[in-house]
Amino acid sequence: MDHIINHSFDAIPKSYLFSEVARRVAAFRAAHPESELIPMGIGDVTRPLRRPVIEALKKAAEEQAHADSFHGYGPEQGYDFLREAVLRHYAGFGVRLALEDIFISDGAKSDLGNLPDLFSENCVVLLPDPVYPVYRDSNLMAGRKVKYLAATRENGFAPLPGKDTRGDLVYLCSPANPTGAAYTREQLKLWVDWALASGAVILYDAAYECFIQDDLPHSIYEVEGARECAIEVCSLSKTAGFTGMRCGYTIVPHELAREGQNLHDLWLRRQCTKMNGVAYPIQRAAEAVFTAEGMAACKEDIAAYLRAAAIVADTLDELGVWYCGGKNSPYIWMECPKGLDSWQFFDALLEEAGIIGTPGCGFGEQGEGYFRLSAFSGEANARAAMERLRAWLQS
């Protein structure tokens, strides 16, 4: 009998990184039920949805209870009211989009994993290392060849193309998960120029653009030529606390074509086949994010997360521990102290200080010896965790 199982799954780790973290934490809790653990590895937000979002959600839910305002299947690309709100958001940092280029999604993760459907299984995928596991695993599952771009302390965890760089797809994330590193316009221009010259396509993850405080690009479309070589994915998960609501957007410019095929049209065809869109009440709630009141509330939440990141950064400065991130990102990427590797530090921090983080090696080979701390658990938890870390390192 011929094989019927996709054995490309054999190429990926048997356990998803965050599932393994959860397994180890659960085992520790079972053995030490009295322990009070502080979650600093969490990638989930903790601040609740703001009032403009809740009111829009309630109003839209009520509409669904009446025949004259009920909404069934929505447009495949999303309702125009939300797509127009995204247009205005991008115009705020100087990017002009066409309404047809915007696709409303259920979040960045699924689109980042599904966009490779547009490309041959024979194409070569370039990934920064360390990398968000979805980029790697989704392509390995499909049997594609993956090559890694070393993201190191020496290059600021923001690898750039060289004269020998070869690939068909490249994933870029800025500010990056897990390192918090962000590309400048000049650096992104190098990638855009490389893609235009080589015929490659950039899949650009802008899920953390809302955390940018410095004069850095919020979108790859701030770079000339990007519309001919890049697809951008973003999400409201971190911008507005939509991790449990599931809503984001992907931009596939109508100018983007390869081998005589328009990628915008291919993505539309794919979505029409495999997705029935995002629920109407969720899209109305997302629309409220982009109002003046909604954005002001989001900025307050982002500022609070960045204050928590600053507490972590200040403590690491005091302790002389190297790190990056934390300024334009909710993540702090620190070097493991005491000569420990990533999982050794995870276990020691859990067992001896009651702090949960994320081992850097789970993001790739170049992540070994590093550790990700998150600011999403809030200022109080950040302060308490840093007190424990200080006491543990100084003991």
Side-chain angles (χ1 to χ4, degrees):
M1 180 179 179
D2 292 335
H3 293 299
I4 63 171
I5 298 299
N6 178 5
H7 285 279
S8 294
F9 275 71
D10 296 340
I12 66 174
K14 298 304 180 186
S15 177
Y16 187 55
L17 168 61
F18 299 104
S19 298
E20 176 61 17
V21 167
R23 186 194 68 78
R24 294 193 185 205
V25 171
F28 181 80
R29 287 187 191 277
H32 305 277
E34 75 289 352
S35 297
E36 295 184 6
L37 303 181
I38 303 176
M40 294 295 291
I42 189 170
D44 196 358
V45 296
T46 53
R47 293 174 69 86
L49 295 169
R50 288 304 197 104
R51 186 50 52 186
V53 168
I54 292 298
E55 293 302 324
L57 184 64
K58 289 164 59 177
K59 180 180 178 183
E62 182 62 30
E63 288 180 44
Q64 296 295 78
H66 305 278
D68 60 352
S69 56
F70 172 77
H71 291 77
Y73 290 126
E76 289 89 352
Q77 284 185 252
Y79 288 98
D80 281 355
F81 61 76
L82 179 52
R83 296 164 74 203
E84 289 167 355
V86 173
L87 278 181
R88 293 191 295 272
H89 177 64
Y90 272 74
F93 37 84
V95 173
R96 303 293 175 181
L97 299 175
L99 191 70
E100 68 190 70
D101 296 343
I102 299 171
F103 295 77
I104 303 303
S105 73
D106 61 353
K109 183 177 183 178
S110 56
D111 277 6
L112 287 163
N114 291 328
L115 278 162
D117 281 2
L118 306 187
F119 303 96
S120 164
E121 65 181 18
N122 297 317
C123 72
V124 176
V125 181
L126 301 180
L127 301 178
D129 176 5
V131 67
Y132 180 44
V134 171
Y135 309 164
R136 177 194 65 209
D137 292 357
S138 59
N139 280 287
L140 290 176
M141 287 173 185
R144 294 188 184 88
K145 182 178 181 180
V146 171
K147 296 170 64 177
Y148 296 99
L149 304 163
T152 65
R153 191 184 307 189
E154 289 69 31
N155 62 23
F157 291 98
L160 296 171
K163 61 181 180 179
D164 297 324
T165 302
R166 300 287 185 274
D168 304 301
L169 295 179
V170 59
Y171 283 75
L172 301 178
C173 181
S174 182
N177 180 10
T179 66
Y183 281 104
T184 65
R185 287 177 181 81
E186 293 74 21
Q187 289 173 323
L188 283 184
K189 184 68 164 62
L190 294 174
W191 275 114
V192 168
D193 289 347
W194 171 84
L196 291 173
S198 66
V201 174
I202 298 169
L203 301 185
Y204 189 77
D205 184 354
Y208 297 94
E209 63 86 9
C210 59
F211 286 90
I212 291 175
Q213 306 296 301
D214 295 336
D215 183 22
L216 297 167
H218 290 255
S219 166
I220 197 168
Y221 301 122
E222 295 181 49
V223 176
E224 184 179 358
R227 297 182 63 86
E228 288 79 46
C229 67
I231 295 171
E232 182 163 303
V233 180
C234 199
S235 168
L236 297 182
S237 287
K238 307 308 193 297
T239 301
F242 269 51
T243 52
M245 296 273 280
R246 309 310 307 146
C247 193
Y249 45 90
T250 290
I251 300 164
V252 188
H254 58 274
E255 298 96 330
L256 179 53
R258 292 293 183 272
E259 300 174 15
Q261 296 281 341
N262 185 285
L263 271 67
H264 173 277
D265 295 345
L266 293 180
W267 184 242
L268 177 60
R269 184 68 181 85
R270 189 266 178 208
Q271 292 297 82
C272 290
T273 299
K274 294 190 175 184
M275 185 181 181
N276 273 330
V278 177
Y280 171 74
I282 298 295
Q283 292 197 51
R284 280 297 187 189
E287 178 192 24
V289 170
F290 294 104
T291 63
E293 185 181 5
M295 289 306 297
C298 289
K299 289 179 180 179
E300 289 177 2
D301 290 338
I302 290 163
Y305 290 133
L306 287 174
R307 287 195 298 271
I311 291 169
V312 176
D314 290 346
T315 302
L316 295 180
D317 284 336
E318 173 193 334
L319 295 171
V321 177
W322 186 92
Y323 69 93
C324 67
K327 184 177 182 182
N328 297 297
S329 166
Y331 299 125
I332 295 89
W333 183 249
M334 62 176 288
E335 184 176 35
C336 295
K338 298 189 176 183
L340 300 175
D341 68 27
S342 295
W343 276 116
Q344 287 173 340
F345 184 53
F346 174 88
D347 290 335
L349 203 60
L350 175 64
E351 296 167 7
E352 299 178 34
I355 302 170
I356 305 168
T358 309
C361 62
F363 298 98
E365 182 179 325
Q366 297 295 331
E368 181 57 83
Y370 293 93
F371 202 76
R372 192 191 78 174
L373 293 174
S374 164
F376 284 125
S377 62
E379 294 173 76
N381 275 338
R383 191 170 290 107
M386 291 304 97
E387 289 174 359
R388 293 186 186 185
L389 179 65
R390 182 185 294 105
W392 179 67
L393 285 178
Q394 293 176 342
S395 63

